[in-house]
PDB file of all heavy atoms in Angstrom:
ATOM      1  N   THR A   1      -7.884   4.132  -0.655  1.00 75.00           N
ATOM      2  CA  THR A   1      -7.591   4.559   0.712  1.00 75.00           C
ATOM      3  C   THR A   1      -6.172   5.112   0.771  1.00 75.00           C
ATOM      4  O   THR A   1      -5.243   4.497   0.255  1.00 75.00           O
ATOM      5  CB  THR A   1      -7.727   3.373   1.682  1.00 75.00           C
ATOM      6  OG1 THR A   1      -9.053   2.837   1.587  1.00 75.00           O
ATOM      7  CG2 THR A   1      -7.457   3.806   3.111  1.00 75.00           C
ATOM      8  N   HIS A   2      -6.003   6.259   1.383  1.00 76.00           N
ATOM      9  CA  HIS A   2      -4.692   6.902   1.434  1.00 76.00           C
ATOM     10  C   HIS A   2      -3.681   5.968   2.087  1.00 76.00           C
ATOM     11  O   HIS A   2      -3.989   5.254   3.041  1.00 76.00           O
ATOM     12  CB  HIS A   2      -4.778   8.217   2.212  1.00 76.00           C
ATOM     13  CG  HIS A   2      -3.583   9.100   2.030  1.00 76.00           C
ATOM     14  ND1 HIS A   2      -2.412   8.914   2.722  1.00 76.00           N
ATOM     15  CD2 HIS A   2      -3.377  10.158   1.197  1.00 76.00           C
ATOM     16  CE1 HIS A   2      -1.534   9.830   2.345  1.00 76.00           C
ATOM     17  NE2 HIS A   2      -2.097  10.599   1.422  1.00 76.00           N
ATOM     18  N   VAL A   3      -2.451   5.985   1.567  1.00 74.00           N
ATOM     19  CA  VAL A   3      -1.445   5.037   2.025  1.00 74.00           C
ATOM     20  C   VAL A   3      -1.170   5.169   3.522  1.00 74.00           C
ATOM     21  O   VAL A   3      -0.950   4.169   4.219  1.00 74.00           O
ATOM     22  CB  VAL A   3      -0.138   5.200   1.211  1.00 74.00           C
ATOM     23  CG1 VAL A   3       0.495   6.561   1.434  1.00 74.00           C
ATOM     24  CG2 VAL A   3       0.853   4.093   1.547  1.00 74.00           C
ATOM     25  N   ASP A   4      -1.184   6.386   4.057  1.00 80.00           N
ATOM     26  CA  ASP A   4      -0.948   6.558   5.495  1.00 80.00           C
ATOM     27  C   ASP A   4      -2.080   5.954   6.319  1.00 80.00           C
ATOM     28  O   ASP A   4      -1.854   5.401   7.399  1.00 80.00           O
ATOM     29  CB  ASP A   4      -0.789   8.037   5.847  1.00 80.00           C
ATOM     30  CG  ASP A   4       0.538   8.599   5.352  1.00 80.00           C
ATOM     31  OD1 ASP A   4       1.467   7.798   5.182  1.00 80.00           O
ATOM     32  OD2 ASP A   4       0.625   9.819   5.134  1.00 80.00           O
ATOM     33  N   VAL A   5      -3.302   6.075   5.793  1.00 82.00           N
ATOM     34  CA  VAL A   5      -4.450   5.488   6.484  1.00 82.00           C
ATOM     35  C   VAL A   5      -4.352   3.965   6.454  1.00 82.00           C
ATOM     36  O   VAL A   5      -4.563   3.290   7.466  1.00 82.00           O
ATOM     37  CB  VAL A   5      -5.775   5.963   5.851  1.00 82.00           C
ATOM     38  CG1 VAL A   5      -6.966   5.261   6.501  1.00 82.00           C
ATOM     39  CG2 VAL A   5      -5.914   7.470   5.972  1.00 82.00           C
ATOM     40  N   LEU A   6      -4.008   3.411   5.283  1.00 81.00           N
ATOM     41  CA  LEU A   6      -3.907   1.956   5.175  1.00 81.00           C
ATOM     42  C   LEU A   6      -2.759   1.427   6.033  1.00 81.00           C
ATOM     43  O   LEU A   6      -2.861   0.340   6.610  1.00 81.00           O
ATOM     44  CB  LEU A   6      -3.711   1.545   3.710  1.00 81.00           C
ATOM     45  CG  LEU A   6      -3.647   0.038   3.436  1.00 81.00           C
ATOM     46  CD1 LEU A   6      -4.851  -0.678   4.033  1.00 81.00           C
ATOM     47  CD2 LEU A   6      -3.549  -0.235   1.940  1.00 81.00           C
ATOM     48  N   ARG A   7      -1.672   2.169   6.129  1.00 83.00           N
ATOM     49  CA  ARG A   7      -0.567   1.731   6.994  1.00 83.00           C
ATOM     50  C   ARG A   7      -1.046   1.593   8.431  1.00 83.00           C
ATOM     51  O   ARG A   7      -0.698   0.635   9.132  1.00 83.00           O
ATOM     52  CB  ARG A   7       0.589   2.729   6.928  1.00 83.00           C
ATOM     53  CG  ARG A   7       1.805   2.296   7.740  1.00 83.00           C
ATOM     54  CD  ARG A   7       2.928   3.304   7.637  1.00 83.00           C
ATOM     55  NE  ARG A   7       2.612   4.505   8.378  1.00 83.00           N
ATOM     56  CZ  ARG A   7       2.809   4.663   9.691  1.00 83.00           C
ATOM     57  NH1 ARG A   7       3.321   3.673  10.401  1.00 83.00           N
ATOM     58  NH2 ARG A   7       2.503   5.789  10.290  1.00 83.00           N
ATOM     59  N   GLU A   8      -1.860   2.544   8.887  1.00 84.00           N
ATOM     60  CA  GLU A   8      -2.400   2.464  10.243  1.00 84.00           C
ATOM     61  C   GLU A   8      -3.369   1.291  10.376  1.00 84.00           C
ATOM     62  O   GLU A   8      -3.361   0.573  11.381  1.00 84.00           O
ATOM     63  CB  GLU A   8      -3.111   3.772  10.602  1.00 84.00           C
ATOM     64  CG  GLU A   8      -2.180   4.948  10.804  1.00 84.00           C
ATOM     65  CD  GLU A   8      -1.266   4.757  12.000  1.00 84.00           C
ATOM     66  OE1 GLU A   8      -1.707   4.139  12.989  1.00 84.00           O
ATOM     67  OE2 GLU A   8      -0.107   5.207  11.935  1.00 84.00           O
ATOM     68  N   LEU A   9      -4.206   1.096   9.365  1.00 84.00           N
ATOM     69  CA  LEU A   9      -5.162  -0.013   9.415  1.00 84.00           C
ATOM     70  C   LEU A   9      -4.454  -1.363   9.467  1.00 84.00           C
ATOM     71  O   LEU A   9      -4.883  -2.280  10.172  1.00 84.00           O
ATOM     72  CB  LEU A   9      -6.092   0.032   8.199  1.00 84.00           C
ATOM     73  CG  LEU A   9      -7.081   1.203   8.116  1.00 84.00           C
ATOM     74  CD1 LEU A   9      -7.842   1.156   6.807  1.00 84.00           C
ATOM     75  CD2 LEU A   9      -8.050   1.174   9.287  1.00 84.00           C
ATOM     76  N   MET A  10      -3.361  -1.484   8.733  1.00 84.00           N
ATOM     77  CA  MET A  10      -2.614  -2.743   8.693  1.00 84.00           C
ATOM     78  C   MET A  10      -1.643  -2.868   9.859  1.00 84.00           C
ATOM     79  O   MET A  10      -1.069  -3.933  10.087  1.00 84.00           O
ATOM     80  CB  MET A  10      -1.845  -2.852   7.370  1.00 84.00           C
ATOM     81  CG  MET A  10      -2.733  -2.918   6.135  1.00 84.00           C
ATOM     82  SD  MET A  10      -3.799  -4.369   6.122  1.00 84.00           S
ATOM     83  CE  MET A  10      -2.595  -5.664   5.866  1.00 84.00           C
ATOM     84  N   ASP A  11      -1.414  -1.780  10.579  1.00 83.00           N
ATOM     85  CA  ASP A  11      -0.480  -1.753  11.703  1.00 83.00           C
ATOM     86  C   ASP A  11       0.924  -2.126  11.242  1.00 83.00           C
ATOM     87  O   ASP A  11       1.652  -2.860  11.911  1.00 83.00           O
ATOM     88  CB  ASP A  11      -0.936  -2.699  12.821  1.00 83.00           C
ATOM     89  CG  ASP A  11      -0.457  -2.228  14.197  1.00 83.00           C
ATOM     90  OD1 ASP A  11       0.149  -1.145  14.269  1.00 83.00           O
ATOM     91  OD2 ASP A  11      -0.684  -2.939  15.187  1.00 83.00           O
ATOM     92  N   HIS A  12       1.306  -1.593  10.063  1.00 82.00           N
ATOM     93  CA  HIS A  12       2.656  -1.788   9.544  1.00 82.00           C
ATOM     94  C   HIS A  12       3.616  -0.811  10.210  1.00 82.00           C
ATOM     95  O   HIS A  12       3.243   0.314  10.539  1.00 82.00           O
ATOM     96  CB  HIS A  12       2.700  -1.546   8.032  1.00 82.00           C
ATOM     97  CG  HIS A  12       2.077  -2.640   7.233  1.00 82.00           C
ATOM     98  ND1 HIS A  12       1.488  -2.434   5.999  1.00 82.00           N
ATOM     99  CD2 HIS A  12       1.941  -3.972   7.468  1.00 82.00           C
ATOM    100  CE1 HIS A  12       1.036  -3.570   5.516  1.00 82.00           C
ATOM    101  NE2 HIS A  12       1.295  -4.518   6.392  1.00 82.00           N
ATOM    102  N   ARG A  13       4.860  -1.228  10.373  1.00 76.00           N
ATOM    103  CA  ARG A  13       5.890  -0.314  10.863  1.00 76.00           C
ATOM    104  C   ARG A  13       6.273   0.694   9.779  1.00 76.00           C
ATOM    105  O   ARG A  13       6.466   1.866  10.056  1.00 76.00           O
ATOM    106  CB  ARG A  13       7.143  -1.098  11.263  1.00 76.00           C
ATOM    107  CG  ARG A  13       7.041  -1.902  12.540  1.00 76.00           C
ATOM    108  CD  ARG A  13       8.439  -2.354  12.965  1.00 76.00           C
ATOM    109  NE  ARG A  13       8.401  -3.194  14.148  1.00 76.00           N
ATOM    110  CZ  ARG A  13       8.405  -4.512  14.128  1.00 76.00           C
ATOM    111  NH1 ARG A  13       8.401  -5.140  12.978  1.00 76.00           N
ATOM    112  NH2 ARG A  13       8.382  -5.221  15.237  1.00 76.00           N
ATOM    113  N   SER A  14       6.411   0.207   8.559  1.00 73.00           N
ATOM    114  CA  SER A  14       6.938   1.031   7.480  1.00 73.00           C
ATOM    115  C   SER A  14       5.908   1.221   6.377  1.00 73.00           C
ATOM    116  O   SER A  14       5.175   0.296   6.017  1.00 73.00           O
ATOM    117  CB  SER A  14       8.195   0.360   6.896  1.00 73.00           C
ATOM    118  OG  SER A  14       8.614   0.996   5.722  1.00 73.00           O
ATOM    119  N   VAL A  15       5.875   2.435   5.832  1.00 72.00           N
ATOM    120  CA  VAL A  15       4.946   2.717   4.736  1.00 72.00           C
ATOM    121  C   VAL A  15       5.359   1.961   3.473  1.00 72.00           C
ATOM    122  O   VAL A  15       4.525   1.684   2.611  1.00 72.00           O
ATOM    123  CB  VAL A  15       4.875   4.239   4.473  1.00 72.00           C
ATOM    124  CG1 VAL A  15       6.162   4.739   3.816  1.00 72.00           C
ATOM    125  CG2 VAL A  15       3.674   4.587   3.616  1.00 72.00           C
ATOM    126  N   GLU A  16       6.664   1.586   3.370  1.00 70.00           N
ATOM    127  CA  GLU A  16       7.105   0.831   2.202  1.00 70.00           C
ATOM    128  C   GLU A  16       6.390  -0.514   2.102  1.00 70.00           C
ATOM    129  O   GLU A  16       6.094  -1.002   1.018  1.00 70.00           O
ATOM    130  CB  GLU A  16       8.626   0.602   2.247  1.00 70.00           C
ATOM    131  CG  GLU A  16       9.456   1.815   1.873  1.00 70.00           C
ATOM    132  CD  GLU A  16       9.562   2.804   3.014  1.00 70.00           C
ATOM    133  OE1 GLU A  16       9.144   2.445   4.148  1.00 70.00           O
ATOM    134  OE2 GLU A  16      10.070   3.919   2.811  1.00 70.00           O
ATOM    135  N   THR A  17       6.127  -1.107   3.263  1.00 72.00           N
ATOM    136  CA  THR A  17       5.392  -2.377   3.261  1.00 72.00           C
ATOM    137  C   THR A  17       4.001  -2.180   2.692  1.00 72.00           C
ATOM    138  O   THR A  17       3.536  -2.954   1.853  1.00 72.00           O
ATOM    139  CB  THR A  17       5.296  -2.923   4.697  1.00 72.00           C
ATOM    140  OG1 THR A  17       6.605  -3.122   5.204  1.00 72.00           O
ATOM    141  CG2 THR A  17       4.545  -4.242   4.714  1.00 72.00           C
ATOM    142  N   THR A  18       3.342  -1.121   3.138  1.00 75.00           N
ATOM    143  CA  THR A  18       1.984  -0.840   2.667  1.00 75.00           C
ATOM    144  C   THR A  18       1.973  -0.514   1.182  1.00 75.00           C
ATOM    145  O   THR A  18       1.038  -0.886   0.462  1.00 75.00           O
ATOM    146  CB  THR A  18       1.394   0.335   3.468  1.00 75.00           C
ATOM    147  OG1 THR A  18       1.619   0.117   4.860  1.00 75.00           O
ATOM    148  CG2 THR A  18      -0.093   0.476   3.215  1.00 75.00           C
ATOM    149  N   MET A  19       3.011   0.161   0.699  1.00 72.00           N
ATOM    150  CA  MET A  19       3.061   0.555  -0.704  1.00 72.00           C
ATOM    151  C   MET A  19       3.055  -0.645  -1.640  1.00 72.00           C
ATOM    152  O   MET A  19       2.694  -0.522  -2.809  1.00 72.00           O
ATOM    153  CB  MET A  19       4.313   1.403  -0.961  1.00 72.00           C
ATOM    154  CG  MET A  19       4.188   2.852  -0.523  1.00 72.00           C
ATOM    155  SD  MET A  19       2.808   3.708  -1.319  1.00 72.00           S
ATOM    156  CE  MET A  19       3.284   3.580  -3.042  1.00 72.00           C
ATOM    157  N   GLY A  20       3.449  -1.808  -1.126  1.00 69.00           N
ATOM    158  CA  GLY A  20       3.436  -2.993  -1.975  1.00 69.00           C
ATOM    159  C   GLY A  20       2.071  -3.270  -2.566  1.00 69.00           C
ATOM    160  O   GLY A  20       1.948  -3.706  -3.709  1.00 69.00           O
ATOM    161  N   TYR A  21       1.016  -2.996  -1.801  1.00 69.00           N
ATOM    162  CA  TYR A  21      -0.338  -3.257  -2.283  1.00 69.00           C
ATOM    163  C   TYR A  21      -0.735  -2.259  -3.370  1.00 69.00           C
ATOM    164  O   TYR A  21      -1.443  -2.599  -4.316  1.00 69.00           O
ATOM    165  CB  TYR A  21      -1.317  -3.212  -1.116  1.00 69.00           C
ATOM    166  CG  TYR A  21      -1.035  -4.298  -0.112  1.00 69.00           C
ATOM    167  CD1 TYR A  21      -0.288  -4.043   1.024  1.00 69.00           C
ATOM    168  CD2 TYR A  21      -1.475  -5.600  -0.334  1.00 69.00           C
ATOM    169  CE1 TYR A  21       0.006  -5.043   1.934  1.00 69.00           C
ATOM    170  CE2 TYR A  21      -1.188  -6.612   0.570  1.00 69.00           C
ATOM    171  CZ  TYR A  21      -0.445  -6.326   1.699  1.00 69.00           C
ATOM    172  OH  TYR A  21      -0.137  -7.318   2.592  1.00 69.00           O
ATOM    173  N   TYR A  22      -0.276  -1.010  -3.245  1.00 64.00           N
ATOM    174  CA  TYR A  22      -0.566  -0.026  -4.279  1.00 64.00           C
ATOM    175  C   TYR A  22       0.193  -0.343  -5.562  1.00 64.00           C
ATOM    176  O   TYR A  22      -0.294  -0.082  -6.660  1.00 64.00           O
ATOM    177  CB  TYR A  22      -0.196   1.380  -3.779  1.00 64.00           C
ATOM    178  CG  TYR A  22      -1.107   1.860  -2.683  1.00 64.00           C
ATOM    179  CD1 TYR A  22      -0.830   1.567  -1.357  1.00 64.00           C
ATOM    180  CD2 TYR A  22      -2.262   2.575  -2.973  1.00 64.00           C
ATOM    181  CE1 TYR A  22      -1.674   1.981  -0.342  1.00 64.00           C
ATOM    182  CE2 TYR A  22      -3.112   3.001  -1.961  1.00 64.00           C
ATOM    183  CZ  TYR A  22      -2.819   2.702  -0.646  1.00 64.00           C
ATOM    184  OH  TYR A  22      -3.661   3.110   0.362  1.00 64.00           O
ATOM    185  N   GLN A  23       1.380  -0.920  -5.400  1.00 61.00           N
ATOM    186  CA  GLN A  23       2.132  -1.322  -6.585  1.00 61.00           C
ATOM    187  C   GLN A  23       1.418  -2.442  -7.319  1.00 61.00           C
ATOM    188  O   GLN A  23       1.423  -2.499  -8.548  1.00 61.00           O
ATOM    189  CB  GLN A  23       3.540  -1.756  -6.170  1.00 61.00           C
ATOM    190  CG  GLN A  23       4.395  -0.603  -5.658  1.00 61.00           C
ATOM    191  CD  GLN A  23       5.649  -1.067  -4.960  1.00 61.00           C
ATOM    192  OE1 GLN A  23       5.856  -2.261  -4.775  1.00 61.00           O
ATOM    193  NE2 GLN A  23       6.481  -0.127  -4.549  1.00 61.00           N
ATOM    194  N   VAL A  24       0.789  -3.346  -6.561  1.00 55.00           N
ATOM    195  CA  VAL A  24      -0.002  -4.402  -7.197  1.00 55.00           C
ATOM    196  C   VAL A  24      -1.170  -3.792  -7.953  1.00 55.00           C
ATOM    197  O   VAL A  24      -1.472  -4.165  -9.090  1.00 55.00           O
ATOM    198  CB  VAL A  24      -0.509  -5.405  -6.144  1.00 55.00           C
ATOM    199  CG1 VAL A  24      -1.518  -6.357  -6.760  1.00 55.00           C
ATOM    200  CG2 VAL A  24       0.661  -6.189  -5.574  1.00 55.00           C
ATOM    201  N   SER A  25      -1.839  -2.794  -7.355  1.00 59.00           N
ATOM    202  CA  SER A  25      -2.958  -2.125  -8.023  1.00 59.00           C
ATOM    203  C   SER A  25      -2.492  -1.438  -9.300  1.00 59.00           C
ATOM    204  O   SER A  25      -3.148  -1.502 -10.339  1.00 59.00           O
ATOM    205  CB  SER A  25      -3.589  -1.093  -7.073  1.00 59.00           C
ATOM    206  OG  SER A  25      -4.151  -1.726  -5.951  1.00 59.00           O
ATOM    207  N   LEU A  26      -1.333  -0.747  -9.215  1.00 62.00           N
ATOM    208  CA  LEU A  26      -0.805  -0.052 -10.386  1.00 62.00           C
ATOM    209  C   LEU A  26      -0.449  -1.043 -11.487  1.00 62.00           C
ATOM    210  O   LEU A  26      -0.714  -0.803 -12.670  1.00 62.00           O
ATOM    211  CB  LEU A  26       0.423   0.763  -9.984  1.00 62.00           C
ATOM    212  CG  LEU A  26       1.138   1.513 -11.115  1.00 62.00           C
ATOM    213  CD1 LEU A  26       0.193   2.508 -11.775  1.00 62.00           C
ATOM    214  CD2 LEU A  26       2.380   2.212 -10.579  1.00 62.00           C
ATOM    215  N   LYS A  27       0.140  -2.175 -11.111  1.00 64.00           N
ATOM    216  CA  LYS A  27       0.517  -3.170 -12.107  1.00 64.00           C
ATOM    217  C   LYS A  27      -0.720  -3.699 -12.823  1.00 64.00           C
ATOM    218  O   LYS A  27      -0.732  -3.854 -14.050  1.00 64.00           O
ATOM    219  CB  LYS A  27       1.272  -4.315 -11.427  1.00 64.00           C
ATOM    220  CG  LYS A  27       1.708  -5.416 -12.391  1.00 64.00           C
ATOM    221  CD  LYS A  27       2.448  -6.527 -11.646  1.00 64.00           C
ATOM    222  CE  LYS A  27       2.854  -7.645 -12.591  1.00 64.00           C
ATOM    223  NZ  LYS A  27       3.535  -8.746 -11.861  1.00 64.00           N
ATOM    224  N   ARG A  28      -1.779  -3.972 -12.052  1.00 64.00           N
ATOM    225  CA  ARG A  28      -3.007  -4.471 -12.682  1.00 64.00           C
ATOM    226  C   ARG A  28      -3.608  -3.415 -13.608  1.00 64.00           C
ATOM    227  O   ARG A  28      -4.130  -3.729 -14.676  1.00 64.00           O
ATOM    228  CB  ARG A  28      -4.015  -4.867 -11.599  1.00 64.00           C
ATOM    229  CG  ARG A  28      -3.637  -6.110 -10.827  1.00 64.00           C
ATOM    230  CD  ARG A  28      -4.878  -6.801 -10.301  1.00 64.00           C
ATOM    231  NE  ARG A  28      -5.704  -5.895  -9.532  1.00 64.00           N
ATOM    232  CZ  ARG A  28      -5.713  -5.840  -8.201  1.00 64.00           C
ATOM    233  NH1 ARG A  28      -4.937  -6.642  -7.511  1.00 64.00           N
ATOM    234  NH2 ARG A  28      -6.482  -4.997  -7.569  1.00 64.00           N
ATOM    235  N   LYS A  29      -3.533  -2.138 -13.194  1.00 66.00           N
ATOM    236  CA  LYS A  29      -4.069  -1.069 -14.036  1.00 66.00           C
ATOM    237  C   LYS A  29      -3.289  -0.975 -15.337  1.00 66.00           C
ATOM    238  O   LYS A  29      -3.866  -0.826 -16.423  1.00 66.00           O
ATOM    239  CB  LYS A  29      -4.024   0.265 -13.289  1.00 66.00           C
ATOM    240  CG  LYS A  29      -4.550   1.430 -14.116  1.00 66.00           C
ATOM    241  CD  LYS A  29      -4.379   2.755 -13.405  1.00 66.00           C
ATOM    242  CE  LYS A  29      -4.798   3.910 -14.300  1.00 66.00           C
ATOM    243  NZ  LYS A  29      -4.549   5.229 -13.677  1.00 66.00           N
ATOM    244  N   GLN A  30      -1.963  -1.067 -15.248  1.00 70.00           N
ATOM    245  CA  GLN A  30      -1.139  -0.979 -16.450  1.00 70.00           C
ATOM    246  C   GLN A  30      -1.437  -2.129 -17.405  1.00 70.00           C
ATOM    247  O   GLN A  30      -1.492  -1.944 -18.626  1.00 70.00           O
ATOM    248  CB  GLN A  30       0.339  -0.969 -16.062  1.00 70.00           C
ATOM    249  CG  GLN A  30       0.774   0.317 -15.358  1.00 70.00           C
ATOM    250  CD  GLN A  30       2.171   0.217 -14.790  1.00 70.00           C
ATOM    251  OE1 GLN A  30       2.658  -0.880 -14.514  1.00 70.00           O
ATOM    252  NE2 GLN A  30       2.818   1.354 -14.587  1.00 70.00           N
ATOM    253  N   GLU A  31      -1.641  -3.322 -16.858  1.00 72.00           N
ATOM    254  CA  GLU A  31      -1.985  -4.467 -17.709  1.00 72.00           C
ATOM    255  C   GLU A  31      -3.339  -4.256 -18.369  1.00 72.00           C
ATOM    256  O   GLU A  31      -3.538  -4.610 -19.540  1.00 72.00           O
ATOM    257  CB  GLU A  31      -1.982  -5.742 -16.870  1.00 72.00           C
ATOM    258  CG  GLU A  31      -0.594  -6.158 -16.381  1.00 72.00           C
ATOM    259  CD  GLU A  31      -0.644  -7.313 -15.400  1.00 72.00           C
ATOM    260  OE1 GLU A  31      -1.764  -7.664 -14.965  1.00 72.00           O
ATOM    261  OE2 GLU A  31       0.425  -7.857 -15.071  1.00 72.00           O
TER     262      GLU A  31
END
């Protein structure tokens, strides 16, 4: 799901907060 869409779904103020979840996904992929 696009980060801007997920930010709206989560009702976050900042996209940086939402990006934390994508970083978790990237970390798992790298492992």
Side-chain angles (χ1 to χ4, degrees):
T1 302
H2 194 279
V3 64
D4 288 336
V5 175
L6 182 53
R7 183 179 72 84
E8 289 295 326
L9 292 175
M10 296 298 291
D11 208 4
H12 286 151
R13 287 193 183 96
S14 170
V15 72
E16 283 79 10
T17 300
T18 312
M19 281 302 299
Y21 296 97
Y22 291 88
Q23 292 167 355
V24 170
S25 296
L26 178 60
K27 180 180 178 182
R28 289 207 306 260
K29 179 185 175 184
Q30 290 171 336
E31 292 172 350

